[in-house]
Amino acid sequence: MPLAVLSLVQAHFLGGTRLSFLRDIETHVRFLVCLPALILAEMNVRHRIQPMMKRFIERHLVIAEELPKFYNAVNAAVRIHNSAIAEIAILVFVFTGGMWFWRHQIAVDVASWYASSQGGQVHLTMAGYWLEFISVPVFQFILLRWYMQILIWVWFLLRVSRLTLHLQPLHPDRAGGLGFVGKLSVVFEPLLFAQSALLAAQVASRIFYNGESLLTSKWTILGYVVFSVAVALVPLLSFTPQLMRAKRDGLAKYGNFASQYVSDFDQKWLQSKVEEKQILGTNDIQSLADLSSSFTIAHDMRPVPFSTDDIVLLFVVTIAPFLPLLLTVMPLEQLIVRVLKIIF
C-alpha cells in the first residue's frame, strides 16, 4: 500500500515512466503473493513438524542407546531455530549485502516507478526509497529465515540418519516406518511455491514487455522445477543405506521363516492324508496367505522414505505458478478444451 500511494503521489502509478507501478508484475507477485504465502505458512509448517519429530520416539525407531543423541539433535535444532543472534545476523546481512545485491543485480536498469538513471547515477523516487529500505529488506529477511529453517531441518535429518535406527521391513508404509519423513517435504512447499512465483513473474515481464515467448524460457522453467524438487528430496536419501540394509535383512529373515512354514504346511496338509472335515475351518491356510502378504510388503520396501505421491505433490506445488503463463501461448477456451480432451 505505501508503494502504491507514493507512486500515485509522483504520478508513477499508471504512467509517467517506462515501467509504471501498475505494470510491475514482479513487484506485485513478490509482495502480494510470495510474502503472504511465506508468512502464513510458517506457523502451519511448525505445527506439522513438531508432532512428526515425536514419531521417531512413538514408533520406537530410535533404539534406547541412541536416545540421548536424538534428544541432543532435537535440542540443538530448536536452539538454533530460536536463536536471536542468528536473526540479528540475517538482519545485518539484509541491510548490507542484501541491499547491495538488490540495487546491482535485481533492480531494473530502465526508468521505472522506483528509480531513474541520469549520468550513470541511480536516483530513487519516494516509492523507491520505501522499496529499498523497507519493503525489500522485509521480504529478504523472511525469505532468508526460511532458508535458515530449511538448513536446520536438513541438518537435523542428517544427524538422525547417522543414528542406529530400528526399521521394520513389514511396516505397511513400505519405508520401514519412516514414511512420515517423506511427508515432511511439506516444509519445502511454501518456499518452492514462492520462488516459482517469482520466476514466473520474471518470465511474464519478459513476455509482456520484451516481446519474448514462453517457449524461450521453457528450459529455464523445466530446469528450475526439476532442480528444486531434487533439492527437497536429496536430504532424505541419507536414510537410504539403513533402509536398504533393513530390507536385505528383513527379506533374509522372513524368507527363512516362510520356507520353514511352507515346509511344515506341505508336510501337514499335502504329504499326509487328511479328512475334508479337518481342512474346513483351519487357520493354517489363512496364515499362509497372511505370510505371503507380509513377505510382499518386505519385498516392496522402498530404499527411500518418500513415495511417488510425495514427489508428485512437490512437482505440482513447484509448477503451479507457471501454469497461468500458458495463457500467453493459447486462449483460455482452447486450453480448457485441450485439458478436457486429455481427461476424457
Side-chain angles (χ1 to χ4, degrees):
M1 184 61 68
L3 296 177
V5 172
L6 293 174
S7 297
L8 191 61
V9 169
Q10 292 192 294
H12 293 154
F13 187 82
L14 295 175
T17 184
R18 182 174 178 181
L19 179 62
S20 65
F21 177 78
L22 193 61
R23 298 175 64 221
D24 193 346
I25 300 175
E26 186 177 350
T27 294
H28 301 321
V29 170
R30 184 186 302 272
F31 297 115
L32 296 180
V33 178
C34 301
L35 186 59
L38 292 176
I39 293 175
L40 294 176
E42 182 172 352
M43 189 61 65
N44 180 50
V45 169
R46 185 180 304 175
H47 286 324
R48 296 182 66 175
I49 286 181
Q50 291 176 349
M52 289 185 178
M53 293 173 67
K54 296 179 181 179
R55 292 182 186 176
F56 282 100
I57 304 301
E58 295 170 349
R59 296 188 179 186
H60 306 288
L61 293 171
V62 181
I63 64 175
E65 293 78 5
E66 299 280 30
L67 281 177
K69 295 181 180 179
F70 176 80
Y71 287 123
N72 287 337
V74 172
N75 294 333
V78 172
R79 187 166 56 252
I80 298 175
H81 179 271
N82 297 332
S83 172
I85 296 177
E87 295 199 348
I88 292 174
I90 294 176
L91 198 61
V92 171
F93 175 79
V94 163
F95 280 100
T96 54
M99 292 179 64
W100 179 91
F101 185 81
W102 176 82
R103 181 180 281 263
H104 293 86
Q105 301 295 329
I106 305 299
V108 295
D109 55 357
V110 299
S112 64
W113 59 273
Y114 59 84
S116 61
S117 179
Q118 294 179 355
Q121 297 292 325
V122 176
H123 301 278
L124 296 175
T125 63
M126 289 191 298
Y129 280 108
W130 187 283
L131 178 68
E132 181 174 10
F133 292 98
I134 297 180
S135 299
V136 170
V138 168
F139 179 80
Q140 290 180 345
F141 179 77
I142 297 297
L143 187 63
L144 290 177
R145 282 186 76 251
W146 267 92
Y147 288 144
M148 182 186 73
Q149 292 177 27
I150 294 297
L151 289 176
I152 293 173
W153 175 242
V154 171
W155 176 69
F156 170 77
L157 288 181
L158 291 177
R159 291 190 62 176
V160 173
S161 67
R162 295 191 184 100
L163 302 178
T164 302
L165 302 178
H166 177 59
L167 303 181
Q168 304 161 352
L170 294 185
H171 199 284
D173 68 1
R174 303 300 203 275
L178 286 176
F180 68 95
V181 176
K183 305 301 179 184
L184 290 179
S185 57
V186 67
V187 301
F188 287 90
E189 292 172 7
L191 184 60
L192 295 182
F193 176 83
Q195 293 183 148
S196 294
L198 280 178
L199 180 57
Q202 294 174 4
V203 173
S205 296
R206 292 198 293 267
I207 293 174
F208 292 131
Y209 306 132
N210 295 344
E212 295 185 9
S213 169
L214 177 60
L215 298 179
T216 306
S217 303
K218 63 179 180 180
W219 294 116
T220 301
I221 296 174
L222 180 61
Y224 165 77
V225 172
V226 173
F227 176 77
S228 298
V229 173
V231 169
L233 296 176
V234 163
L236 300 181
L237 298 181
S238 59
F239 291 97
T240 295
Q242 293 206 53
L243 286 169
M244 294 181 65
R245 183 164 55 251
K247 178 179 180 177
R248 183 173 59 252
D249 294 344
L251 286 175
K253 179 171 62 177
Y254 293 113
N256 294 337
F257 178 79
S259 296
Q260 183 62 46
Y261 186 90
V262 170
S263 177
D264 293 343
F265 183 90
D266 179 76
Q267 184 67 32
K268 178 178 179 180
W269 296 105
L270 302 179
Q271 300 298 329
S272 60
K273 295 182 178 180
V274 295
E275 298 181 2
E276 183 177 354
K277 292 183 179 180
Q278 291 180 299
I279 299 176
L280 296 177
T282 181
N283 293 325
D284 290 350
I285 297 178
Q286 182 60 47
S287 298
L288 182 63
D290 294 339
L291 179 63
S292 176
S293 299
S294 299
F295 189 81
T296 300
I297 292 177
H299 181 271
D300 294 341
M301 182 178 173
R302 299 188 303 272
V304 293
F306 50 85
S307 64
T308 303
D309 292 341
D310 300 324
I311 300 175
V312 171
L313 181 59
L314 286 175
F315 267 107
V316 170
V317 170
T318 307
I319 206 171
F322 297 103
L323 297 181
L325 296 179
L326 293 175
L327 298 177
T328 65
V329 179
M330 64 182 68
L332 179 60
E333 295 81 1
Q334 185 179 353
L335 182 61
I336 293 176
V337 170
R338 291 198 176 187
V339 172
L340 291 177
K341 287 182 178 180
I342 294 175
I343 296 176
F344 299 104

